[in-house]
Amino acid sequence: MSIYKENITLPQYFRHALRVVSNAFWMFRAGEKAGKPFGIKFETSAVCNLRCIMCPLSKGLKRKQGVLKFHDFKKIYDEITPSYVNLTGIGEPLLNPDIFKIIRYAAKRGSILKLDTNATLLDDKNADNLLSSRPSIVSVSIDGINKESFEKIRKGGKFETVIENLKRLIQKRNHTNSNTKIHTNFVLQKSNIQDIPKFIKFLDSLHVDSINGDISLPLGANNNLDNRKVSINQINLLKTELKKIKTNASLNIEHIYEFLDCGGDISRKTQKFCFYPWYYPSITWDGNVVPCCYVCDNEIVFGNALEDGFMKVWNNQKTRNFRKALAAGRRGICKECFIDEEYISKKLRILSKIPILSQLSKRSWKNN
């Protein structure tokens, strides 16, 4: 799912039109160099209070664990001034004592800002602090519709606590007339995929704004092969049910449907374009610049933004070589990814039909 599509309806988006146009040029050109990215994923925490079965933390990370310090965040943020900031990572952001300071800093400077949380720590005080920090989106991860299914996947979490915290956050948001959108995220896997229809109806009754979907992916030491064994017949039945739900649900469930529409077959994605290394990199809590958050255990590191500066790393030889290889086709760890940026490629493909512009691009658009 493209972050452009995710944020296209947000008012702040139009304030960043110049960065959008700039990034569109670099993505279309598909050269080895890129300008300042539209968005950044900052890993605010690599420590967590849960051990979810699909997460690499349940198997152990090789890299060091810690939290993003405010002064480190500020140093990198000020160099890039990203239009979109996603505060996520392998851990739980609310375990970071600087998290609300980080949110406030980026929000005051006009960034579209999204926070992902497991909501186990989102008590009354933290809910107030979070909403007063003014994030654009808060996404709560919930992978089960009842206590048994939820706690089987999100080990260490309590279903009742998370739902209570989500309800409180929605109530406070509505009471204060906050502009923060409240999303939920559902990681599809064999133990919960049959619950999707009930899950959507339940969250619709809570008046969340959107349900986002994701597929359990190979991450670090956790290859998740067992978690992803879902039959095509099961997926097709769910798609039929979702068509009925889509006409009645008041919330956005397009993301869930798009993931199901792929049939659970990652190979259908490997030929799709990925533009992340041109506009949306990830930065670990200790400053490492990596292609995306799926490279979760420092399998590919371009350099360190705290030591060398982001833009120097962003266009160093290692990063350029990676872009060149990716423009030719997904390989290695990228072949296991499920990201599909068709939303972007459809728009850029129009430019490729203009003779003068087509000569600027180093990417072949015919086979996509």
Side-chain angles (χ1 to χ4, degrees):
M1 174 58 63
S2 161
I3 64 170
Y4 284 117
K5 184 175 182 180
E6 181 177 357
N7 295 301
I8 193 69
T9 58
L10 290 174
Q12 302 100 310
Y13 178 88
F14 298 101
R15 293 164 52 188
H16 305 284
L18 184 59
R19 189 68 65 94
V20 172
V21 172
S22 171
N23 277 200
F25 169 77
W26 296 112
M27 286 186 282
F28 175 73
R29 180 166 173 73
E32 299 173 20
K33 186 180 178 181
K36 286 186 178 181
F38 176 84
I40 295 286
K41 272 193 177 184
F42 280 97
E43 180 180 61
T44 51
S45 173
V47 294
C48 194
N49 56 335
L50 303 184
R51 286 297 180 267
C52 304
I53 61 173
M54 64 284 185
C55 177
L57 280 175
S58 66
K59 300 288 185 180
L61 284 179
K62 297 177 183 177
R63 63 182 172 98
K64 293 181 181 180
Q65 298 177 40
V67 297
L68 177 67
K69 303 296 185 182
F70 173 74
H71 60 81
D72 290 339
F73 168 80
K74 183 178 182 299
K75 180 180 180 179
I76 300 172
Y77 179 95
D78 286 348
E79 182 183 357
I80 313 165
T81 58
S83 304
Y84 175 76
V85 174
N86 190 348
L87 301 178
T88 184
I90 212 67
E92 169 51 42
L94 294 181
L95 287 170
N96 185 333
D98 288 344
I99 189 62
F100 301 123
K101 191 175 181 180
I102 289 172
I103 296 172
R104 283 193 294 270
Y105 187 83
K108 284 182 179 179
R109 282 150 187 82
S111 291
I112 303 165
L113 194 142
K114 179 172 178 278
L115 176 84
D116 293 272
T117 176
N118 62 36
T120 57
L121 304 175
L122 199 55
D123 56 19
D124 190 71
K125 181 179 178 180
N126 280 336
D128 285 336
N129 287 333
L130 181 57
L131 290 173
S132 66
S133 302
R134 296 188 296 110
S136 306
I137 301 169
V138 174
S139 179
V140 175
S141 299
I142 306 175
D143 301 320
I145 188 58
N146 54 45
K147 182 178 178 65
E148 181 181 3
S149 61
F150 176 90
E151 295 180 6
K152 182 180 179 181
I153 294 172
R154 296 197 156 259
K155 293 186 178 297
K158 292 187 177 181
F159 179 73
E160 299 91 344
T161 299
V162 170
I163 298 304
E164 179 183 346
N165 290 348
L166 175 59
K167 288 180 178 178
R168 181 194 298 113
L169 183 67
I170 294 170
Q171 290 170 354
K172 286 178 176 291
R173 188 273 306 268
N174 295 343
H175 180 71
T176 59
N177 293 318
S178 166
N179 292 324
T180 297
K181 300 294 183 183
I182 298 176
H183 293 190
T184 53
N185 191 69
F186 191 90
V187 180
L188 283 69
Q189 48 202 293
K190 70 175 183 179
S191 59
N192 67 10
I193 198 166
Q194 72 282 350
D195 292 332
I196 290 176
K198 290 186 290 185
F199 184 77
I200 292 172
K201 292 176 182 178
F202 172 65
L203 290 173
D204 193 26
S205 70
L206 297 184
H207 305 294
V208 301
D209 298 300
S210 178
I211 299 179
N212 301 328
D214 208 344
I215 291 286
S216 184
L217 290 169
L219 291 170
N222 200 339
N223 61 31
N224 283 318
L225 293 180
D226 289 337
N227 292 330
R228 286 164 46 203
K229 292 180 179 177
V230 180
S231 71
I232 297 300
N233 287 339
Q234 190 175 14
I235 287 176
N236 287 335
L237 286 173
L238 284 168
K239 285 170 60 179
T240 301
E241 288 190 61
L242 280 188
K243 284 182 179 178
K244 300 175 184 177
I245 296 175
K246 282 173 68 176
T247 60
N248 298 317
S250 59
L251 74 170
N252 180 10
I253 62 171
E254 289 296 330
H255 296 182
I256 287 282
Y257 194 82
E258 286 176 4
F259 279 105
L260 286 177
D261 200 36
C262 299
D265 182 4
I266 286 182
S267 66
R268 292 179 60 183
K269 294 293 189 187
T270 58
Q271 301 306 313
K272 299 291 185 180
F273 291 157
C274 172
F275 301 100
Y276 275 24
W278 285 268
Y279 83 105
Y280 189 36
S282 292
I283 299 179
T284 63
W285 68 273
D286 50 354
N288 285 330
V289 181
V290 299
C292 68
C293 64
Y294 295 120
V295 183
C296 70
D297 209 4
N298 285 350
E299 296 93 337
I300 302 170
V301 177
F302 297 144
N304 192 283
L306 295 173
E307 296 172 2
D308 301 319
F310 175 82
M311 287 307 297
K312 184 176 179 180
V313 173
W314 187 231
N315 280 309
N316 67 18
Q317 195 58 53
K318 190 170 184 179
T319 311
R320 292 185 181 206
N321 290 343
F322 183 87
R323 290 193 188 104
K324 183 178 180 180
L326 184 61
R330 296 194 191 189
R331 61 192 69 188
I333 194 172
C334 296
K335 292 187 70 174
E336 301 295 330
C337 177
F338 218 73
I339 287 295
D340 180 0
E341 300 207 278
E342 184 69 10
Y343 175 77
I344 292 177
S345 62
K346 280 183 177 179
K347 296 183 180 301
L348 296 183
R349 194 179 294 112
I350 296 173
L351 300 179
S352 70
K353 296 178 181 180
I354 303 173
I356 296 178
L357 293 180
S358 64
Q359 296 178 18
L360 294 175
S361 182
K362 296 184 178 181
R363 191 191 298 272
S364 174
W365 297 90
K366 295 180 180 179
N367 298 324
N368 184 264

